[in-house]
Amino acid sequence: MLLRLPRSLSEAQECLNQGAVPIGGATLVWAHWQRDGFPEQAMSLRELPEANVIGRGALGAAVVLHRIDDRVPEALRRAAAAVGTGAVRRTATVGGNLVGSTLRCLLPAALVLDARATVLESDGVRETDLAEVLAKRPLLLSLHWSEPVASRYRKQPGEAGGPVPLAVAAALHDEGGGRTRLRVAVRDGHDVLSESALCPAPAAAPADGAEDTLRALRRTALRDLPAPAWEELAHLVTGLLRTG
Ligand SMILES: Cc1cc2nc3c(=O)[nH]c(=O)nc-3n(C[C@H](O)[C@H](O)[C@H](O)COP(=O)(O)OP(=O)(O)OC[C@H]3O[C@@H](n4cnc5c(N)ncnc54)[C@H](O)[C@@H]3O)c2cc1C
């Protein structure tokens, strides 16, 4: 297998057009390739600047999970810290987690940030939404979002090989004109649902502000979530609205 390390978008595009398979930290693909055979060419984005950004409103697909720190919103940081073991986090990448894994612990956090994806295709770079990234699995270069007012993430403890642990995320977004929107996402089993509702700004929130917001969320597709998921979500949302 030839491992290619493009340093520019045009080199990456050339690799893509020549059939190179994207690879992150190989924490998932290595075992598959050992069993089923290696591709002729693979391409790592670790030398590509556009895939290594980490900072206000941006996270590159080649960034290794353990490098995700307080330059990104809390929800994303906590989601990355909750993935697997330290050894996995030191090797696995954002792209491998979002596009390649089935658990996708980063997904609820990316959804509540309302993140957009920058992808590279044979005819160039374009922006798309996360739904398309999951459905079509293009070459992910980076995620971008508008900074939230505040965000939270919680994943229930789980055992390796056991049921997929519940994960919930929430973020507050200032929409201007005094409007604040709460976005929430819940991973229940392998399904990830996300919804949003207008809510009071944290500083102005009356004591029952969280109740009203949760009632609004109960009128969305989240209404069918099982009770434990609701409890976890209500706890997260109440804390977020109280403290911002
Ligand atoms: C012990 C263990 C525990 C784990 N626990 C968790 C957990 O708790 N939560 C969780 O979410 N995940 C968990 N995982 C999965 C882990 O997140 C993935 O192994 C990891 O994210 C894959 O990242 P990688 O960079 O190694 O991807 P790779 O193995 O290199 O690639 C995986 C797939 O993603 C594709 N890919 C990689 N980068 C890109 C890109 N930029 N664009 C498009 N496609 C790309 C590859 O082509 C391949 O199909 C665990 C894994 C292990 C081994």
Side-chain angles (χ1 to χ4, degrees), residues 73-130:
E74 178 177 329
L76 205 45
R77 190 165 77 241
R78 287 194 186 276
V83 171
T85 60
V88 170
R89 294 192 295 275
R90 279 191 292 279
T91 316
T93 61
V94 170
N97 187 271
L98 274 174
V99 187
S101 95
T102 48
L103 287 177
R104 298 192 170 110
C105 276
L106 296 189
L107 181 60
L111 285 169
V112 298
L113 295 178
D114 203 19
R116 303 273 301 161
T118 303
V119 301
L120 180 66
E121 291 180 331
S122 52
D123 53 353
V125 173
R126 70 184 181 90
E127 202 181 280
T128 185
D129 55 30
L130 292 173

Side-chain angles (χ1 to χ4, degrees), residues 20-33 43-45 51 60-65 79-80 82-85 87-89 91-107 118-120 133 137-142 153 155 160-161 164-165 187:
V21 178
I23 185 173
T27 58
L28 289 180
V29 285
W30 199 255
H32 295 171
W33 289 350
M43 149 175 47
S44 160
L45 303 181
V63 172
V64 171
L65 300 181
V83 171
T85 60
V88 170
R89 294 192 295 275
T91 316
T93 61
V94 170
N97 187 271
L98 274 174
V99 187
S101 95
T102 48
L103 287 177
R104 298 192 170 110
C105 276
L106 296 189
L107 181 60
T118 303
V119 301
L120 180 66
V133 169
R137 299 172 52 120
L139 178 67
L140 180 66
L141 293 175
S142 55
Y153 178 94
K155 177 178 155 186
V164 176
R187 183 186 68 194

Side-chain angles (χ1 to χ4, degrees), residues 16-234:
L16 198 63
N17 289 337
Q18 290 172 2
V21 178
I23 185 173
T27 58
L28 289 180
V29 285
W30 199 255
H32 295 171
W33 289 350
Q34 277 187 318
R35 192 188 56 215
D36 304 333
F38 284 76
E40 254 175 47
Q41 293 187 38
M43 149 175 47
S44 160
L45 303 181
R46 68 175 182 242
E47 304 287 345
L48 183 70
E50 288 82 350
N52 282 283
V53 287
I54 172 163
R56 245 184 119 66
L59 183 63
V63 172
V64 171
L65 300 181
H66 90 130
R67 284 188 53 220
I68 298 179
D69 57 19
D70 58 10
R71 286 172 286 179
V72 305
E74 178 177 329
L76 205 45
R77 190 165 77 241
R78 287 194 186 276
V83 171
T85 60
V88 170
R89 294 192 295 275
R90 279 191 292 279
T91 316
T93 61
V94 170
N97 187 271
L98 274 174
V99 187
S101 95
T102 48
L103 287 177
R104 298 192 170 110
C105 276
L106 296 189
L107 181 60
L111 285 169
V112 298
L113 295 178
D114 203 19
R116 303 273 301 161
T118 303
V119 301
L120 180 66
E121 291 180 331
S122 52
D123 53 353
V125 173
R126 70 184 181 90
E127 202 181 280
T128 185
D129 55 30
L130 292 173
E132 192 183 333
V133 169
L134 302 187
K136 298 192 180 160
R137 299 172 52 120
L139 178 67
L140 180 66
L141 293 175
S142 55
L143 296 177
H144 300 268
W145 59 85
S146 301
E147 282 299 308
V149 177
S151 67
R152 298 279 189 282
Y153 178 94
R154 191 172 135 72
K155 177 178 155 186
Q156 284 187 341
E159 280 171 29
V164 176
L166 179 74
V168 292
L172 289 170
H173 296 265
D174 183 353
E175 293 196 329
R179 285 156 57 100
T180 304
R181 181 169 293 278
L182 172 75
R183 292 187 184 280
V184 299
V186 180
R187 183 186 68 194
D188 177 41
H190 283 288
D191 296 333
V192 180
L193 290 175
S194 70
E195 286 291 344
S196 78
L198 286 174
C199 66
D208 58 357
E211 286 305 316
D212 290 346
T213 309
L214 287 166
R215 257 194 295 279
L217 289 175
R218 277 189 189 275
R219 289 194 289 271
T220 69
L222 299 177
R223 75 179 71 84
D224 297 327
L225 282 174
W230 263 109
E231 255 170 54
E232 197 68 57
L233 184 64

